[in-house]
Structure formats: C-alpha cells, structure tokens
Amino acid sequence: MESEENLSKKQKDSEENISVKNSSSLKNTPQEPLNQQTKSKSVISPEDNQKISNPESKSFIEIALKDLQISRDELEKELKELSKKKVQIERELKSSFSGQSDAIARRVKGFQEYLTGALQDLAQSAEQLELVVPPVIVKPSPLDENKKIETSKEQEVIPAVSDTFKPDEVLIRKCFSQFLEQPDFYAEPWRLRRSLESNDVEMLEDWFFSMGGRGAQPSRGSRSKNALVAAGIIAILGELYGEQFQTLVLAGQPERLGEWRRCLQDALGLNREDFGPNSGIVLFERSDGLIERADRLEERGELPLIIIDAAEINVEIPILQFPIWLAFAGGPNELYEEDELI
C-alpha cells in the first residue's frame, strides 16, 4: 500500500514539473507578431482616409451646386415675371384716366412753378429799373441867334384817352342807374333785360371813364357773368351809336362761343338772326378773322366793339390799336378749370 502511494506522488510531481516547463517555455516565446497583427488591424493611414472621403465630398458638393443652380433659375424666372408685370402696369397707368390726370396735374404744377419764378424775376428786374428819365437840355445853335422870326403855330390839343366818353357821361350814368333797378324781362331788343350788381357797375364806370373804353378788367368769376356785363356795354353803345357799331366776340372754342351766344341772347332779347357776319354780333374762334373784320368796319366808318373771353391767355397786338375793346382777365382757378374741361 505504501508503495502505491509513493508511486502516485511521484507521478503527480512529474506532471507538475512538466506543466511548469511548458509554462516557462510559453513565457520565453516572442510575442511581437501578435502585436504587429493587432496594430496592422487597428491602424489605418491618412491617405486611405482621404481616398475614402474625396468621392463623398465631391458628390455632396455636386448636389449643393445643383440645388443652388435650381434656386438661381427659379429666382431669374421670378425676376422676369416681375419685370413683365411692371411694364404692363406702367402701360395701364399711361392708358388709364387716372394716369393721364396725374400726368396733367404734374404738368400744370410745373407750369405754375415756372410762372411764379418768372413773375418773381420780373418783379426784381422791375425794381431795379430806373424809371426817372434824366432831363434833356437842348442848347440853341449860334446860327439861330441871328434869326428872330416870330412864327405863330397853333398847338394841337390831343384829348386824353379817359375823356373819350366824357361828353356822354350823363347818358351813361343814367343807364348805370337803370341797370341797378329791377330787371325788365319785356324790354325792347338790344336793351338790357337783366339787372347788374353794384360791383359790376363800378367796373363799367372804371372802364368807360378811367380807361376810355379800352383795356382789360378782371373776370367776374364765370362766363355768364362776363357776358352779362358785356351786354350792359352793348346796350349803352347802342344808345350812343345806334347801328353804327358791331360787337366782335373772341373765344377759342365753339363751346365757349355757344355759351356767349346764349347769354347775350337772353340778356338782350335777341334772336339767332342777330348773330352773324352781317348782324350786330359776330363770334370768332381765331383772332385773325376778328382783326380783318374790325379793319373793314373802320374803313366803312363804323365802330367795332371787341370783347375777349377770359380763357384767352394772350391778346394779339393788332387788337390793341382799335378804339374800343374789353378783355376779361381770368384768375388762376378759372384758367385751371377751363384746362380741366378741355
């Protein structure tokens, strides 16, 4: 029994020695190849990363560029559509009434500013003018001292323009007083059938006795009122000259002449036959025909009465040479309303 136990102990010791040797041999073996393999598996070079990332970045950049190009094309289309809409809106504004009225209002405003500037410059230049004329001293010639011949020359007395109607002042003022009374709707033709206001009579008094029947007067505010005042003048001149005068009315448009005809016909009790080339009142759209007619009347020894509408901005110079004429000067508001009606 003891021998068997000894044998078993010896076997165990031998096995332990063998295991110890094997373990020592394992420890002494080199482990470098394993480390290299793990390193080779874990470590990747930066060149390999660049090779992997370059195609991905290129594809991403291409997608972004495509998106930008698409958005750019869409913006260009929207800009083209907006520019077309802008051109269409401008055409509609020019063709519409509101656009035309806006353009006319701008032109009128610019013309008004131009007139104000021109009037200011004219006023400044007028202030700078020297209105006092220096006296002219004429020295007698030595040759005239030896000649002492007395000559009697009658000096011609030229009456003032304001004294044209002085001899008929009583009759004219009597007509003024009748104009201020109640209207006579059944008066004879060529007599005033309407009544005037006191300021209208004052204007007529200034035109007859201060201006001598030739000059401009401020408009009464409307064409009908101006025609009523002109009818008063025609009635007075009819009392003074009878059928030896003819009234010539100048207005630039047929509508204005029609309004003059209706107002004079109503105020003086006239008919359509009284308006014509051979009648008492002649209507003219242009100043050339009026001037020719006035010249013919003077050649026949008759008197032309020229009446100019307030809408006429300019007065021709040949009209100023005639003895009796009246121009109604329209205010800025009245002229602006006339332009709007046109």
Side-chain angles (χ1 to χ4, degrees), residues 61-79:
I61 290 169
E62 287 177 356
I63 293 168
L65 287 174
K66 287 180 180 179
D67 293 337
L68 289 173
Q69 186 66 32
I70 292 168
S71 62
R72 180 182 177 184
D73 294 337
E74 291 178 354
L75 289 173
E76 287 180 352
K77 289 180 181 178
E78 290 179 357
L79 286 173

Side-chain angles (χ1 to χ4, degrees), residues 6 34 110 188 243:
N6 289 328
L34 293 171
E188 297 179 358
E243 298 179 356

